[in-house]
Amino acid sequence: ISGGVYKNAYFGMSYALPNGWTELYKGPPPSDSGRYVLAQIQPDTTATRAQLLVSAQDMFFSAVPARNALQWAVYEKDNLQSGYKMELPITQTNIAGRPFSSFSYWSPVAELHWYVLATEVRCHTLEFVFTSPDTKLLKDLVIQMNNMVLPGPGPSSRADGAFPLCIRDYAESQYLIRRVDPIFSEHKFNSVPVRVIIDSRGFIKHIHFLSAFPDQQKAITDALAQWKFKPYLEHGNPVEVETGMIFGGERARAGSPAVD
């Protein structure tokens, strides 16, 4: 956050905060299932009771049966804890030029309302959750979201090729030419979720570990440096691809190849 604007380069997002709002606390690290707390934003005074939680769920590694933003919203709506009441049903709306799934619920005991808005960017469900006892304030905050900047809608959630094309299970496709499995020096039972960006020549150019031990990161990085894919063509032109994969887990043994 700088100059009253929250920016996230990965998602191509720029969000001008409401007047007097700021981020007081940082969120936790991402979960093994790819849940990220991107920002916790609230008024810098106690005069206004409200909060905005911006989060992202990596849909490659989601622990719930949801593959897009709408299914994610449906799952959340269907799994509200007891004591919470639905206020507005799930609807499809357009905010800042993008499709959003939205719904709201409230707690009669706490007298708080939650407005939930979710969209999909780069195979993540990007979610905005506003909380306040004041429903008029919440409605105004949702309207102000139209001033936010997000990449244009599309299959890859990218604008003018600014982001890689996001493809699920791409590492298991016919595009994979050469694969070298990592050799782990120690046996650990954790799975290692990894996001990678493959350049237009078919080589892995960027690796993002959601959760891994240092020795696992090194072994996987060394192996992925040797992977090769056929270039992916979009409209006849080679483009970058982003995908996810999982290494390790209970099936991996020390000195043996990992399986994903």
Side-chain angles (χ1 to χ4, degrees):
I1 294 177
S2 177
V5 178
Y6 168 67
K7 293 184 178 181
N8 187 295
Y10 179 83
F11 292 111
M13 176 173 62
S14 178
Y15 173 68
L17 306 186
N19 291 333
W21 287 49
T22 188
E23 184 177 38
L24 300 179
Y25 309 103
K26 294 293 183 181
S31 69
D32 291 348
S33 61
R35 183 72 168 174
Y36 296 82
V37 173
L38 302 180
Q40 300 178 91
I41 302 167
Q42 61 192 77
D44 56 10
T45 173
T46 58
T48 302
R49 291 179 59 198
Q51 185 183 60
L52 167 60
L53 175 66
V54 185
S55 64
Q57 172 61 55
D58 190 322
M59 303 312 291
F60 289 152
F61 308 113
S62 173
V64 305
R67 295 175 69 92
N68 55 49
L70 174 58
Q71 292 176 6
W72 179 264
V74 171
Y75 178 85
E76 288 191 319
K77 183 265 294 182
D78 291 343
N79 289 273
L80 290 177
Q81 296 181 7
S82 61
Y84 294 101
K85 306 293 183 181
M86 282 295 296
E87 193 167 24
L88 296 174
I90 292 180
T91 59
Q92 298 297 297
T93 186
N94 193 283
I95 297 174
R98 286 197 60 82
F100 274 77
S101 300
S102 66
F103 70 97
S104 68
Y105 61 97
W106 74 298
S107 167
V109 174
E111 297 184 344
L112 286 173
H113 304 260
W114 286 263
Y115 279 31
V116 182
L117 302 102
T119 189
E120 189 170 348
V121 181
R122 298 184 76 168
C123 292
H124 288 75
T125 291
L126 189 59
E127 188 174 65
F128 300 78
V129 181
F130 294 94
T131 308
S132 176
D134 185 345
T135 56
K136 182 181 183 306
L137 172 62
L138 292 174
K139 292 175 182 177
D140 289 342
L141 292 170
V142 172
I143 292 173
Q144 292 175 26
M145 286 180 65
N146 280 295
N147 297 323
M148 177 172 51
V149 175
L150 281 171
S156 60
S157 297
R158 59 186 184 149
D160 300 325
F163 299 135
L165 187 67
C166 188
I167 302 178
R168 181 186 296 271
D169 299 328
Y170 188 72
E172 300 298 319
S173 72
Q174 73 276 14
Y175 285 93
L176 180 58
I177 298 174
R178 182 174 66 245
R179 171 188 175 124
V180 176
D181 289 305
I183 304 298
F184 295 137
S185 59
E186 298 180 28
H187 174 47
K188 295 183 175 72
F189 290 92
N190 64 303
S191 296
V192 183
V194 181
R195 265 207 177 228
V196 300
I197 296 177
I198 303 160
D199 67 22
S200 58
R201 301 173 302 154
F203 295 100
I204 292 177
K205 63 175 286 188
H206 179 76
I207 304 170
H208 171 64
F209 292 93
L210 277 70
S211 176
F213 292 100
D215 59 317
Q216 293 175 323
Q217 290 192 26
K218 184 180 186 308
I220 293 171
T221 298
D222 290 345
L224 289 177
Q226 303 174 69
W227 285 38
K228 180 71 169 67
F229 293 82
K230 297 178 185 177
Y232 188 89
L233 301 180
E234 185 181 53
H235 308 304
N237 299 313
V239 297
E240 293 185 345
V241 170
E242 184 172 14
T243 193
M245 58 192 78
I246 297 178
F247 292 95
E250 295 185 5
R251 293 173 295 177
R253 295 292 181 265
S256 301
V259 286
D260 60 336

